[in-house]
Amino acid sequence: MMARKMTMTFDDAPAGESRAFSRVYLLSIIAYPAAVVHHLIALLMFWSLGAFELVAFNVFSIAIYLACFLVVRRYRNVILPFLVGPVAEVVAHALLATLAFGLSSGWFLWVLVPTVIVSFLPIWFGYRIAASVLLCVVFALVALIGLFFEPWYQISSVWQVVFVAFNTLGCASLVATLFAINTRAATNAELALEAEHARSEALLYNLLPEEIAARLKQEPDKTIADSLPKVAILFADIVDFTPRSGRMSPEEIVGFLNRVFTAFDELAEKHGLEKIKTIGDAYMVAAGMPNPSPNPVHRVAEMALDMLEVTRTLSDEVDVRIGLHAGPAVAGVIGNTKLFYDVWGETVNTASRMESHGEPGRIQVTGAVKAELEGNYRFVPRGTVQVKGMGPVETWWLTKGG
């Protein structure tokens, strides 16, 4: 039974309680039975010496620790038994035994135990410090009483050795157990903190580009806003998704979008692009941000062509409309709680218009994109398109081949 208790974890404590309570709870159900055994041994020693006052006190102490154990187990009250047992009884027992057998018997050492064990109480930290300081004063007083008062009983050197060994071993074992419990709790807390930190870091780097996340960590109060001289923007939209979603369950909708966008995310990573966001069934990536990159327009062009291929492999019924544009833009982080890295400017608006005014299964590009890709890709002229908010814009369809 005792071996099983010693291997318990904080999860074995009553559900819904704090870690501080759980630590004291587990310590209590280990320590109170051990205290009963300890006092039974002490009772037998005192009986052998004829110290019947201490025999009677040990009978009383055993009853106290049994009651403490029952209160903890039945009522989940750890503070009252703690104050009655490990604090009041231990001090009284140490004082009485020191008066009976003198300072050299080592019984005064037990007052050190509550000075340490009180720090485990699930109360305000200031109270724990005050109680520990008070108990240190009590420890000094008990030691002085043992030093200046004549012992009630004169015991042989053999019994002195037995008492010193019994008391030092008992105190050292208890303090070592307390230290082990506290160390384990601290280690578990550190491991949990490290795991939580790793999860937070992973989440942060999933939400923001690595360079931006690093800047936020270094200067959390600084506004991040960058002027980007040249970026390439890709917008993609799943064609006819809204009427299709009306015939799908919520699980099917989320599962479908997850499959498509996961495939797009893999392509973005392959081509070294920065995913900016998804809006409903629309997908946006960029090249050349947050840091400049070589050939940003070529990167988005390759991704756009791969997106058409990937979409066809996912489903014959799924098609995308893609638009590309390149030019200057502004990027930055928005929000204090749900951080969001975004990009703005005419370049972004034009890329969005290229997608919305495009056709299913095709990649519509502007003259700026065509000028960058000329000679490496094939273009099919579309002609002039009336773009909302921009007027007539000459556009091309991007296809493979040089």
Side-chain angles (χ1 to χ4, degrees), residues 152-300:
W152 299 343
Y153 299 94
Q154 297 299 319
I155 57 176
S156 66
S157 59
V158 174
W159 272 110
Q160 279 195 333
V161 171
V162 170
F163 279 160
V164 169
F166 179 73
N167 292 322
T168 54
L169 181 62
C171 289
S173 298
L174 184 53
V175 171
T177 300
L178 293 173
F179 182 77
I181 292 174
N182 210 44
T183 300
R184 182 172 180 178
T187 301
N188 290 343
E190 289 173 356
L191 292 174
L193 185 61
E194 289 174 3
E196 187 61 35
H197 177 71
R199 283 194 293 269
S200 299
E201 289 285 290
L203 179 60
L204 180 63
Y205 288 125
N206 279 334
L207 293 174
L208 301 172
E210 186 174 345
E211 299 87 345
I212 300 300
R215 287 167 61 183
L216 271 177
K217 288 167 64 177
Q218 291 174 359
E219 299 179 288
D221 297 326
K222 184 177 180 180
T223 300
I224 293 182
D226 300 321
S227 178
L228 306 171
K230 185 177 182 180
V231 296
I233 305 293
L234 178 155
F235 272 95
D237 186 78
I238 301 174
V239 178
D240 295 330
F241 176 74
T242 300
R244 180 195 301 271
S245 64
R247 303 187 298 271
M248 301 167 68
S249 68
E251 292 79 10
E252 290 173 331
I253 294 173
V254 174
F256 170 76
L257 289 176
N258 187 56
R259 287 194 301 274
V260 174
F261 289 159
T262 297
F264 290 173
D265 288 345
E266 292 172 356
L267 290 177
E269 185 174 358
K270 171 186 173 183
H271 294 293
L273 304 183
E274 188 64 47
K275 176 183 176 181
I276 304 301
K277 58 187 172 182
T278 60
I279 308 172
D281 59 340
Y283 189 89
M284 177 185 177
V285 293
M289 60 179 290
N291 295 322
S293 61
N295 303 318
V297 182
H298 290 73
R299 291 172 184 266
V300 294

Side-chain angles (χ1 to χ4, degrees), residues 103-120:
L103 189 67
S104 59
S105 64
W107 286 100
F108 76 101
L109 293 174
W110 283 100
V111 186
L112 280 175
V113 172
T115 65
V116 176
I117 207 171
V118 75
S119 63
F120 280 72

